Amino acid sequence: QVQLVESGGGSVQAGGSLRLSCAASGYAYSSRYMGWFRQASGKKREGVAVVDTASGVITYSDSVKGRFTFSRTNANNSLALQMNGLKPEDTAIYYCAASKRLRVADPLSESVYSIWGQGTQVAVSS
């Protein structure tokens, strides 16, 4: 059984920072792709930052590039997302996700992932 549990969400003013964490249990760490998605109210879920664990390559969405930093720690099976320079449009529920698929064309595509955490709310006020 794969489990992903997010933590670290909250409310912050524009320009502030938050750090999200995701604890992976089960065989999640053998997943090929792992990362973060978000879903704003009334919008589709979108990829934020993901890692190809085989190559170590991290892919960021254009909307967060330069502001968010993804990290993965093998020792304690955890993922993190450091979010700096937050904007009101970053407000969303943030999800941790994992996929065992091999070599996908678009690792930021929601359809790649079948393992999801329960989500954590991030709210950014102007």
Side-chain angles (χ1 to χ4, degrees):
Q1 183 83 23
V2 176
Q3 290 186 325
L4 300 169
V5 180
E6 304 93 339
S7 62
S11 298
V12 66
Q13 290 190 328
S17 298
L18 284 172
R19 183 177 177 87
L20 305 183
S21 297
C22 173
S25 62
Y27 57 91
Y29 246 69
S30 64
S31 296
R32 174 68 182 262
Y33 297 94
M34 302 186 75
W36 293 94
F37 285 71
R38 68 185 182 186
Q39 186 168 22
S41 179
K43 295 188 177 181
K44 293 178 62 176
R45 189 153 49 185
E46 63 171 352
V48 174
V50 299
V51 65
D52 177 343
T53 61
S55 65
V57 172
I58 298 171
T59 304
Y60 293 94
S61 68
D62 288 342
S63 60
V64 306
K65 203 172 294 182
R67 300 188 297 122
F68 291 11
T69 302
F70 175 94
S71 60
R72 175 174 174 257
T73 305
N74 290 337
N76 58 0
N77 288 357
S78 66
L79 308 178
L81 186 69
Q82 178 65 42
M83 306 185 294
N84 298 327
L86 283 162
K87 304 175 181 181
E89 52 263 43
D90 295 317
T91 295
I93 299 173
Y94 283 70
Y95 297 90
C96 185
S99 171
K100 294 189 177 294
R101 289 180 58 180
L102 302 177
R103 289 190 296 175
V104 301
D106 181 7
L108 284 174
S109 173
E110 179 187 7
S111 64
V112 169
Y113 299 82
S114 59
I115 304 162
W116 296 89
Q118 83 288 351
T120 185
Q121 178 72 52
V122 170
V124 184
S125 59
S126 58

